[in-house]
Amino acid sequence: MKFWKKALLVVATVTLGLAGGATVTHAASSAVNSELQHKGELTIGLEGTYSPYSYRKDGKLTGFEVDLGKDVAKRMGLKAHFVPTKWDSLIAGLGAGKFDVVMNNITQTPERAKQYHFSTPYIHSHFALIVPKNSHLTNLKQISGKKIIAGTGTNNATVVKKFKGTLVPNSNFASSLDMVRQGRATGTVNSREAWYAYSKQHATKGLKMIDASNEERPAKISALFNKKDPAIQKSYNRALHQLQQDGTVKRLSQKYFGADITK
């Protein structure tokens, strides 16, 4: 009798998706649930204002990291719960225990690794310099001493400082472009993928994008966890690996960025 109970328990943790092959959904373990902010839920911190990663369309939260977060949570046997938060409060909020994980175009850096753990990278983000169309700037080396917009504490801001630009804080992509158009800054450093996605739905007249991949290596983008939550990180990585193997992450990349930026 005990044997059959164990067998039924194993079967209950596996969901088979008949269309497109088998899909394995792992039931959340007691170790994972003990680390979660709310049992049965994966609380995900993100901005919700940064297309195509996370943004609102017709009032509904959507985007690459929103869809990926839902898929990962489902594979973990959990329900995704999103908490939109301003960028400069996201990582501090993770440290304060407001979220289980942050998914917000987070770059792996040595500084962050001192306090937090990363997931396996799910995309690679290429840096870009966006300037007026009539600008004489052609590369990052030329931004020295010039006003360049980037979000405070972001990898974009790190690049601005590295090339000795004068940082103008703004984490909102659309308003940053407006500031460049208005001449309130010389340009903005952001991701090439954000530019591609934005230009699909909005006019970029008067602006041009300079791909800076040959000057600054693409950033590894990962989810961010507290070090005190190893079970959540391990379960997340296992679920993410499945989604990478079955092509889900690649499909979401093509959907939101128009290209496969998973490698």
Side-chain angles (χ1 to χ4, degrees):
M1 193 67 179
K2 289 182 179 179
F3 171 82
W4 287 108
K5 286 181 178 179
K6 288 181 179 179
L8 287 171
L9 179 60
V10 172
V11 172
T13 65
V14 179
T15 301
L16 295 179
L18 297 179
T23 299
V24 180
T25 302
H26 297 279
S29 67
S30 58
V32 169
N33 270 303
S34 69
E35 293 176 357
L36 294 170
Q37 299 302 308
H38 304 285
K39 186 177 180 180
E41 286 188 349
L42 184 67
T43 304
I44 303 172
L46 41 62
E47 283 182 279
T49 58
Y50 188 30
S51 175
Y53 301 94
S54 64
Y55 61 101
R56 293 194 181 277
K57 184 176 181 180
D58 300 325
K60 185 179 179 181
L61 194 64
T62 188
F64 171 79
E65 286 172 318
V66 174
D67 282 4
L68 180 60
K70 289 177 180 177
D71 286 340
V72 168
K74 186 176 181 180
R75 292 293 180 98
M76 292 172 69
L78 302 170
K79 181 180 179 181
H81 173 60
F82 298 99
V83 183
T85 304
K86 289 185 178 180
W87 164 254
D88 51 10
S89 300
L90 266 178
I91 296 180
L94 178 66
K98 292 183 178 179
F99 325 114
D100 298 313
V101 59
V102 170
M103 295 179 67
N104 199 77
N105 193 29
I106 298 287
T107 302
Q108 291 190 13
T109 66
E111 293 75 20
R112 288 171 182 157
K114 291 176 183 177
Q115 298 183 48
Y116 302 96
H117 281 158
F118 296 104
S119 72
T120 303
Y122 44 76
I123 56 173
H124 291 76
S125 182
H126 297 251
F127 291 99
L129 173 63
I130 302 165
V131 296
K133 213 156 199 173
N134 59 1
S135 173
H136 297 299
L137 298 188
T138 58
N139 57 60
L140 289 174
K141 294 184 180 69
Q142 298 171 332
I143 70 172
S144 178
K146 295 179 173 60
K147 292 182 178 180
I148 305 296
I149 304 167
T152 303
T154 64
N155 51 305
N156 300 319
T158 300
V159 170
V160 172
K161 293 175 182 177
K162 177 180 177 180
F163 287 89
K164 297 180 171 54
T166 300
L167 181 65
V168 179
N170 189 343
S171 60
N172 184 282
F173 188 66
S175 65
S176 293
L177 297 184
D178 287 339
M179 289 174 68
V180 174
R181 286 192 188 94
Q182 295 161 7
R184 295 163 62 189
T186 303
T188 179
V189 170
N190 214 295
S191 75
R192 182 188 66 180
E193 294 73 36
W195 167 265
Y196 285 153
Y198 182 88
S199 61
K200 281 183 180 180
Q201 301 180 6
H202 304 86
T204 56
K205 185 177 180 181
L207 298 172
K208 64 180 178 181
M209 185 275 289
I210 300 166
D211 191 331
S213 298
N214 61 336
E215 294 182 273
E216 194 68 20
R217 293 182 66 181
K220 295 178 181 179
I221 305 302
S222 305
L224 196 66
F225 308 87
N226 275 311
K227 285 189 174 182
K228 65 180 180 61
D229 296 334
I232 295 176
Q233 181 200 22
K234 183 178 180 180
S235 179
Y236 183 105
N237 275 336
R238 181 173 61 177
L240 177 60
H241 178 71
Q242 292 173 2
L243 295 169
Q244 290 170 325
Q245 290 294 106
D246 70 13
T248 298
V249 183
K250 180 179 178 180
R251 176 179 56 78
L252 291 177
S253 170
Q254 291 171 328
K255 174 182 177 180
Y256 286 102
F257 299 100
D260 178 11
I261 60 168
T262 61
K263 298 177 181 179

